[in-house]
Amino acid sequence: MKIAVCVKQVPDTWAEKRLKPEDSTLDRESAEGVLNELDEYAVEEALRLIEAQGGEVVVVSMGPERAGETIRKALSMGADAGIHIVDDALHGSDAIATSAALAKALEGRGFDLILFGSESTDARMSVVPAMVAERLGLPQLTFAQKVEVDGSTVRIERQAEYGYDSIEASAPVVVSVVEKINEPRYPSFKGIMAAKKKPVDTLTVADLGLEPVTVGLAAAWSAVDEFAARPPKAAGTVIADDGAGGVKIADYLSQQKFI
Amino acid sequence: MDFALPEELIALRQSFAAFLDREVRPLEAEHAREFWGEYPDRDSLAPVVQSIRRRSAEEGFYAAYMPEEAGGQGLSVLGTTLLVEDAARSGMRLALAAIAPPNPAGPSPLLVKLPRHLWDSYVFPVVAGTTTMCFALTEPEAGSDAQSIRTKAVLEGDEWVITGHKHYITNGEHADFAIVFAVTDAEKRAAGGITAFVVPADQFRRGKLQWNLSDSHPAELYFDDARVPVDHVIGEVGMGFFEAMTFLNSGRAYIGAQSLGLAEWALDAAIDHAQKRTAFGRPLAKNQGVSFPLARSKADIEAIRWLVYHLAWRVDTEGDALGVMGDASITKYYATETAFEVADRAVQVFGGMGIMREGPVERVQRHLRMLRVVEGASEVQLLVIARTLGL
């Protein structure tokens, strides 16, 4: 079985994120870059599938030079090889352009399964897996809390508010996973050392056969006109209890339309 | 000169930090109250410590320093030093269970000198964190002067018969087996007359627990004609002292690393407190009487850091050679003494909360007070340093 896992480098989930004033894109230098947490679950699931059934896991990521660290981390967890799509022309790409680049990198490589985390912790759109599936003409099984591969049939439990739906499709297939699916492993020292020797192919926009004008900030379907920093936390209202504190709190809540 | 840490060790630190955050932090919060009593509630904490140890071993952190053929990761002394520091710096008591050194409950590198057919019993389980061991050297009449031990081993047929009394043995209470040092040639003693044995727990008797000011509680061990087969010798008969010396330097790097991590945690906690706590209308930190001691602590910590990293680097570069011993003593002495002072300043900044059992720094200072005594007291380290000066 040949599995691709698409991963993204995101600013540390807990860090204060900033936008760059010059082009309103995310300031990736302002916070430590980490492997998107949900993508770790996708990597783990891919590793478990090949540990059980044999095969190969290829990690695919689009991002600037330093996103290579994220590919290396997935390799240190146990993935076999990496593909890094890196090109200045891609800076500021929206989900539509990202899905185009990923689809080009994935097509024709014989993947049976293309795994994604169900969303990134920075953009939180959850659309790239669906877009990639559409571009590749593959079925999509999204929000999986369980994945089973039985020959060429891929079956998932799709997480829902009321429980889950069981759905299946024939491989090749695009699957996105939710955090309920497993507990990702931690890269060990041996894994980190082994990852240094694993191959990572670098692809540019030209290698993918995409026109530079179709990707990047200028081609994005939406634009950020302006942004402002979050206002500082205002001091709270203190109500001294002079015997009527309860009434005053109720009045306050009522004014704020909480009650 | 290149002081940059290798990128693979930076990646390993990140991986270990994620493990501590995801798996240890929730347990630390859940069990916090059990640490606060007169003595920690050991009965309810023991299974928690055991589960952290096993999980950390499964993920390859706990005994990463052991060679690959023994189930470890072949991690360098510098790499291990960083993990020991990070566990201590996390401020979580339970994090100390996630990495074996410097706690002798974890696998001693000496174990790989056992014959291979004994590894299934004594090496792989302790590396996997499913068993623990203890290091039985100290006796009531032999502390710093370890070669004065009286425990004897006599060969009877194909068995060694061991008789004697050990005390202050960390993890003596729970250990599945002990590395025991005994005299096999009274004439030669340290120069070829002391042998290291591996002795399963069913061959010794545990005496009373020895409560001390730290949260560790060593035990007395009695060997009343304990019997082990002839193959239970670590290395060569008579060479136990030399075998033990082999890993002394790395052990001292790990004590230094733990001191460093605890000092960093104490300073971070004190800085946070000094900025948030107000008295007489302004934050404590606005008083030089508070900020200068903390500034000194920062300078002290950087001095400890580079002594510790340098020692680890030397052991990795030159092997655990006797020539590194002077540096090992300097590091053990300076790191424990100085980190204790850092913790003392942190206690003072915290005031009343500083001396509370439930506060963040009280137990750090107690632990560091212990480290100034164990594994070669400061005076023993000074003796070694003086000898390197020809004194």
Side-chain angles (χ1 to χ4, degrees):
Chain A
M1 185 167 29
K2 199 169 171 191
I3 306 177
V5 187
C6 297
V7 303
K8 182 180 185 184
Q9 186 178 50
V10 296
D12 190 353
T13 319
W14 305 108
E16 187 70 29
K17 289 143 196 140
R18 285 204 300 263
L19 295 182
K20 286 194 288 191
E22 58 270 29
D23 64 0
S24 304
T25 59
L26 179 67
D27 181 358
R28 293 185 187 276
E29 302 301 318
S30 70
E32 200 185 336
V34 298
L35 171 56
N36 177 45
E37 210 174 313
L38 279 161
D39 299 344
E40 278 189 46
Y41 294 83
V43 173
E44 177 65 35
E45 197 59 23
L47 294 174
R48 289 184 187 194
L49 286 169
I50 61 155
E51 278 161 9
Q53 305 191 13
E56 184 194 5
V57 176
V58 179
V59 181
V60 183
S61 188
M62 179 179 122
E65 203 66 45
R66 71 187 273 222
E69 299 160 10
T70 291
I71 295 173
R72 210 49 79 179
K73 177 168 179 188
L75 296 177
S76 67
M77 288 171 75
D80 300 286
I83 297 173
H84 187 180
I85 308 166
V86 53
D87 196 316
D88 289 344
L90 291 164
H91 172 74
S93 290
D94 61 3
I96 291 162
T98 302
S99 66
L102 288 174
K104 286 285 184 192
L106 291 163
E107 75 183 356
R109 291 179 190 264
F111 291 116
D112 303 294
L113 214 56
I114 298 170
L115 290 178
F116 285 84
S118 57
E119 65 177 31
S120 64
T121 54
D122 54 353
R124 312 205 89 111
M125 292 175 71
S126 290
V127 294
V128 172
M131 288 176 170
V132 168
E134 183 63 22
R135 287 183 186 279
L136 294 174
L138 298 180
Q140 47 169 305
L141 302 174
T142 50
F143 302 101
Q145 61 179 34
K146 189 175 178 191
V147 178
E148 280 175 352
V149 179
D150 184 1
S152 65
T153 305
V154 180
R155 211 169 285 117
I156 72 154
E157 288 180 5
R158 184 178 209 266
Q159 184 178 267
E161 277 176 21
Y162 45 82
Y164 63 85
D165 296 314
S166 288
I167 51 175
E168 64 178 53
S170 290
V173 60
V174 171
V175 177
S176 78
V177 306
V178 296
E179 65 207 23
K180 209 171 167 184
I181 196 164
N182 57 42
E183 281 297 329
R185 69 196 66 190
Y186 308 89
S188 69
F189 183 61
K190 272 197 278 189
I192 291 165
M193 294 307 282
K196 288 178 152 203
K197 298 184 194 122
K198 292 177 178 173
V200 177
D201 282 344
T202 305
L203 297 178
T204 62
V205 168
D207 294 334
L208 296 173
L210 288 171
E211 286 299 323
V213 291
T214 62
V215 296
L217 191 59
W221 286 28
S222 60
V224 177
D225 288 334
E226 60 178 324
F227 65 89
R230 186 182 310 175
K233 209 170 162 186
T237 305
V238 177
I239 294 171
D241 185 14
D242 53 4
V247 175
K248 286 179 183 171
I249 288 173
D251 285 346
Y252 176 80
L253 292 174
S254 166
Q255 279 164 20
Q256 301 294 320
K257 298 191 167 40
F258 286 117
I259 54 174
Chain B
M1 293 251 274
D2 181 359
F3 289 96
L5 294 175
E7 61 180 19
E8 64 270 18
L9 296 187
I10 294 170
L12 180 64
R13 291 183 100 166
Q14 288 167 348
S15 187
F16 187 53
F19 174 79
L20 293 179
D21 261 349
R22 288 185 203 164
E23 305 211 12
V24 182
R25 201 168 292 287
L27 292 171
E28 180 83 7
E30 190 182 325
H31 294 277
R33 290 192 164 273
E34 288 147 47
F35 289 108
W36 290 352
E38 188 177 2
Y39 292 109
D41 181 351
R42 297 173 314 115
D43 290 339
S44 66
L45 288 172
V48 182
V49 165
Q50 200 172 44
S51 75
I52 292 171
R53 191 185 285 138
R54 283 184 196 174
R55 273 295 297 140
S56 182
E58 271 172 20
E59 296 291 342
F61 301 119
Y62 175 68
Y65 57 95
M66 292 294 280
E68 286 191 45
E69 66 267 26
Q73 306 259 327
L75 180 63
S76 61
V77 175
L78 179 60
T80 309
T81 291
L82 297 172
L83 299 192
V84 172
E85 176 193 348
D86 291 351
R89 188 180 186 165
S90 74
M92 293 185 278
R93 283 162 259 229
L94 290 171
L96 302 187
I99 179 83
N103 188 336
S108 164
L110 277 176
L111 293 174
V112 301
K113 302 208 172 177
L114 282 173
R116 288 277 175 153
H117 67 273
L118 293 178
W119 285 27
D120 281 340
S121 306
Y122 297 109
V123 180
F124 298 124
V126 75
V127 169
T130 53
T131 62
T132 61
M133 54 161 281
C134 64
F135 197 85
L137 173 61
T138 303
E139 298 180 6
E141 301 300 328
S144 294
D145 183 12
Q147 65 158 327
S148 306
I149 57 170
R150 295 175 182 180
T151 297
K152 285 188 310 190
V154 178
L155 192 59
E156 278 184 17
D158 55 3
E159 284 183 330
W160 285 98
V161 182
I162 302 169
T163 317
H165 174 203
K166 301 283 182 184
H167 81 166
Y168 300 165
I169 307 304
T170 303
N171 197 46
E173 182 189 12
H174 298 293
D176 296 280
F177 65 91
I179 293 180
V180 180
F181 289 81
V183 177
T184 44
D185 185 333
E187 296 287 303
K188 293 183 185 160
R189 301 200 70 84
I194 291 175
T195 304
F197 298 91
V198 63
V199 182
D202 62 7
Q203 289 298 308
F204 55 80
R205 188 162 58 81
R206 298 169 217 258
K208 63 176 190 294
L209 278 183
Q210 300 173 297
W211 299 98
N212 63 31
L213 95 167
S214 80
D215 291 334
S216 109
H217 26 270
E220 290 186 302
L221 302 183
Y222 291 94
F223 298 84
D224 313 320
D225 291 339
R227 286 174 179 270
V228 290
V230 281
D231 58 5
H232 278 45
V233 170
I234 293 173
E236 302 280 316
V237 171
M239 300 307 281
F241 241 64
F242 295 100
E243 303 289 4
M245 300 287 239
T246 324
F247 297 106
L248 209 55
N249 294 331
S250 49
R252 288 182 175 162
Y254 303 148
I255 297 259
Q258 193 177 65
S259 306
L260 170 62
L262 291 173
E264 289 175 297
W265 157 257
L267 176 61
D268 290 347
I271 291 170
D272 186 57
H273 182 71
Q275 287 171 332
K276 288 183 180 154
R277 171 83 172 180
T278 56
F280 307 108
R282 59 182 187 167
L284 290 182
K286 292 292 173 198
N287 302 292
Q288 285 188 351
V290 173
S291 67
F292 278 19
L294 297 182
R296 279 178 63 192
S297 290
K298 173 62 178 165
D300 287 343
I301 283 170
E302 291 310 309
I304 299 171
R305 179 192 319 286
W306 294 105
L307 272 179
V308 171
Y309 292 179
H310 174 256
L311 171 61
W313 170 82
R314 260 197 96 179
V315 178
D316 284 333
T317 313
E318 299 172 40
D320 226 334
L322 284 178
V324 187
M325 211 172 183
D327 274 359
S329 285
I330 290 170
T331 303
K332 201 277 176 180
Y333 161 74
Y334 188 83
T336 55
E337 293 282 333
T338 312
F340 178 80
E341 288 171 26
V342 169
D344 191 56
R345 290 181 204 123
V347 166
Q348 198 68 14
V349 167
F350 272 96
M353 186 47 97
I355 53 176
M356 293 297 289
R357 190 59 66 94
E358 68 194 79
V361 290
E362 179 264 2
R363 56 110 196 169
V364 171
Q365 194 181 21
R366 281 188 292 116
H367 190 89
L368 286 165
R369 187 66 191 83
M370 173 190 70
L371 292 185
R372 290 166 59 197
V373 171
V374 301
E375 297 288 322
S378 290
E379 291 69 22
V380 171
Q381 309 306 335
L382 291 172
L383 186 71
V384 174
I385 298 165
R387 281 183 188 155
T388 67
L389 300 174
L391 301 172

